[in-house]
Amino acid sequence: MSTLRRARYRFRAHPLTLDAVVAAAVLLCMISSSFAAPDGDHGVAWGARGPAPLSLLLMVLAAAALVLRRRSALAVLAFTGTLALVECVTGDPRAPVAMTTVIALYTVASTTDRATTWRVGLLTMTVLTAAAMLAGPLPWYAQENIALVAWTGIGATAGDAVRSHRAFVQAIRERAERAERTREEEARRRVAEERLRIARELHDVVAHHIALVNVQAGVVAHVMDRRPDQAKEALAHVREASRSALEDLRATVGLLRQSDDPAAPTEPASGLGRLDELAGTFRNAGLPVQVARADQDTELPAAVDLAAYRIVQEALTNAQKHAGAGAKAEVSVVRVGPNIEVSVLDDGAGATGAPTTGGGHGLLGMRERVTALGGTLTTGPRYGGGFRVHAILPVQTRAGAERKPV
């Protein structure tokens, strides 16, 4: 079996060699058949006759033409068909030169389309059969004449079947390759989305806690000499904010771990359940925050719960940085029908005396979170001063909620 496989690979690598072998085999078969008399007294009689010199020449030329059948199938068919036509008219006894025409017709059918196969096959069949019946030395009803119809039909049909099989296999291969490319593109898209999500998480965590650390560090620098007790309290808040930042960063980076890595920390996930704790960190940093909830203890899907928490966190961080001294903030979470609405308001005029529109990455990150869940986000200055962030998040996400609302 291995020898046959190696021979098959060798012939595929050198198709001209295969065609030469086929041509030699066909020539051997034609010459052998020329010595047989099919109508002997006791059936086929071998050695009862021999091919005429002209027939032998025609067989050699037709077989030699088969070596080039892959390069120019139609030309080889025309050439072998002409030689077979001459043999049908002049050969007596007739030699099987038409065998080369059948092989050439098979090659044409296997390398072209079906319409070409029908036209060329019918033309070859009609010309050879008509010439043999009308101008040949044998009676028109001789079996050799009828055999021309059968053999040319077999050659065209077999070639068309091979071509159809090749096209089917090629279609399956292309479909498999296209499916593989689609899977690779989907995998790349998911990786890009995951990277964006993790980057957004890191931005929210770092921006929030670094803003608090910055504010408390400013307080320490301001009161260090005159009020050391207040400076000590501010340093404690800095330590607490940095500890929370490290914990959130550890939890976020833990998403990148492999399945066989150590277990993730058991720290509770960020969500509206920690809203009071979040508001307390901003109160300690000097931003008065009031929290009002009317969500009827709705159990939110994890994605919605995290998005609502991050929106409040980012909005309060912006208020801490941009609302200015003396500003206050209000946070409300309300269940309205199938949605949960989150609003964050501040009454500050901005550090520069004018409302801010927030042109950084925070608002963009909030908008991406809300859009990914199928919600809407509205941001902008309030009439009379201050800034407003309002998000409407569906309780049932597009991908299906993890838990149903109570």
Side-chain angles (χ1 to χ4, degrees), residues 18 28 31 34 52 123 130 164-165 204 212 227 236 238 240 251-252 262 267 351 387:
L18 176 60
L28 181 61
I31 294 176
S34 301
L123 179 62
S164 299
H165 177 71
D204 292 344
L212 295 181
R227 287 175 286 178
V238 168
E240 178 66 21
T252 303
E267 193 73 19
F387 200 79

Side-chain angles (χ1 to χ4, degrees), residues 19-31 99:
D19 291 337
V21 172
V22 171
V26 171
L27 178 60
L28 181 61
C29 291
M30 290 191 296
I31 294 176
M99 184 184 298

Side-chain angles (χ1 to χ4, degrees), residues 8 11-12 15 18-19 22 69-71 73 103-114 117 155-175:
R8 187 184 300 114
F11 283 139
R12 286 180 180 177
L18 176 60
D19 291 337
V22 171
R69 65 189 180 94
R70 296 177 191 265
R71 297 186 178 182
I103 296 177
L105 180 58
Y106 163 84
T107 305
V108 171
S110 64
T111 56
T112 58
D113 56 277
R114 182 163 295 173
T117 300
T157 303
D160 184 72
V162 169
R163 180 194 56 78
S164 299
H165 177 71
R166 289 174 180 170
F168 177 72
V169 172
Q170 181 65 23
I172 292 178
R173 185 179 294 111
E174 291 177 354
R175 190 179 301 115

Side-chain angles (χ1 to χ4, degrees), residues 261-400:
D261 284 344
T266 57
E267 193 73 19
S270 297
L272 292 180
R274 302 177 61 184
L275 186 57
D276 292 334
E277 178 184 346
L278 177 65
T281 62
F282 282 98
R283 294 190 189 102
N284 294 332
L287 176 66
V289 179
Q290 294 182 355
V291 178
R293 300 189 62 172
D295 51 347
Q296 293 83 39
D297 295 328
T298 302
E299 293 187 11
L300 300 175
V304 176
D305 199 20
L306 177 61
Y309 178 86
R310 293 303 187 197
I311 289 170
V312 174
Q313 182 185 58
E314 180 64 30
L316 291 178
T317 301
N318 289 339
Q320 177 73 46
K321 292 191 296 185
H322 303 297
K328 299 179 182 180
E330 299 178 3
V331 177
S332 65
V333 180
V334 182
R335 174 69 184 270
V336 181
N339 302 318
I340 196 82
E341 297 190 9
V342 179
S343 299
V344 180
L345 312 176
D346 69 72
D347 58 0
T352 59
T356 177
T357 58
H361 297 286
L363 294 181
L364 178 61
M366 284 192 285
R367 193 172 303 280
E368 289 177 350
R369 285 182 182 276
V370 174
T371 303
L373 295 173
T376 58
L377 178 71
T378 304
T379 62
R382 300 172 60 193
Y383 179 77
F387 200 79
R388 175 176 181 266
V389 175
H390 180 70
I392 301 177
L393 300 172
V395 175
Q396 296 287 345
T397 61
R398 290 178 297 180

